C-alpha cells in the first residue's frame, strides 16, 4: 500500500470512529481512533511528528476515553493534542481554544 493510501485509510478510521462516537459505540470509536493515530504517527514520524492530523487523532482518542471514563488516558491524549495544536495554530484557533477549555475543565 502506498503512503497516500495509508493516510486515506487513517482518515476512514477517523470518520468511522466519529460515527461510532456519535451513536454511543464508544469502544469501537476508541479502537478506530487509535488505529488512525497509529497510521498517522507512523506516516509523519520522521517528517512532521507534530502534524495537525496527529493532534486531531489524539483529540479524538481523548473524546472516546472521556465517554469510556478512562480519565488518565483522556488527559494524556488531550495534552498531546494541545501541544501539537499550539505548534501549528494561533492561540485564537478554534481547536486550540476547545482543547485548552477542555483541559481546564478536567483539572
Amino acid at each position: 500500500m502506498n503512503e497516500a493510501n495509508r493516510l486515506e485509510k487513517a482518515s476512514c478510521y477517523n470518520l468511522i470512529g466519529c460515527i461510532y462516537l456519535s451513536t454511543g459505540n464508544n469502544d469501537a470509536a476508541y479502537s478506530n481512533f487509535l488505529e488512525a493515530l497509529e497510521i498517522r504517527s507512523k506516516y509523519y514520524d520522521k517528517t512532521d511528528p507534530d502534524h495537525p492530523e496527529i493532534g486531531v487523532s489524539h483529540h479524538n482518542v481523548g473524546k472516546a476515553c472521556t465517554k469510556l471514563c478512562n480519565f488518565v488516558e483522556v488527559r494524556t491524549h488531550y495534552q498531546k493534542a494541545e501541544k501539537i495544536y499550539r505548534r501549528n495554530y494561533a492561540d485564537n484557533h478554534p481547536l486550540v481554544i476547545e482543547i485548552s477549555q477542555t483541559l481546564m475543565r478536567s483539572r
Side-chain angles (χ1 to χ4, degrees):
M1 179 180 299
N2 71 34
E3 296 305 313
N5 286 345
R6 288 183 205 280
L7 286 180
E8 288 177 15
K9 189 174 182 181
S11 293
C12 289
Y13 278 117
N14 188 65
L15 290 171
I16 292 167
C18 290
I19 292 167
Y20 280 134
L21 195 66
S22 71
T23 60
N25 193 341
N26 302 320
D27 287 316
Y30 176 79
S31 295
N32 278 274
F33 290 144
L34 276 181
E35 191 66 35
L37 175 59
E38 183 179 330
I39 292 168
R40 287 172 172 167
S41 294
K42 284 181 183 176
Y43 181 82
Y44 291 114
D45 184 44
K46 292 183 176 101
T47 59
D48 189 4
D50 290 323
H51 193 281
E53 287 185 9
I54 296 173
V56 168
S57 288
H58 279 295
H59 197 160
N60 287 341
V61 171
K63 288 178 183 180
C65 288
T66 299
K67 298 282 187 177
L68 294 168
C69 298
N70 182 347
F71 299 112
V72 172
E73 198 172 341
V74 166
R75 190 145 188 81
T76 300
H77 285 286
Y78 281 162
Q79 287 172 332
K80 288 179 181 182
E82 182 186 39
K83 177 183 151 199
I84 291 169
Y85 289 164
R86 288 193 179 280
R87 288 189 177 165
N88 287 282
Y89 304 122
D91 287 342
N92 63 349
H93 189 280
L95 288 172
V96 174
I97 293 168
E98 179 185 347
I99 199 74
S100 296
Q101 289 174 348
T102 300
L103 279 167
M104 286 175 57
R105 282 192 303 270
S106 70
R107 290 184 184 162

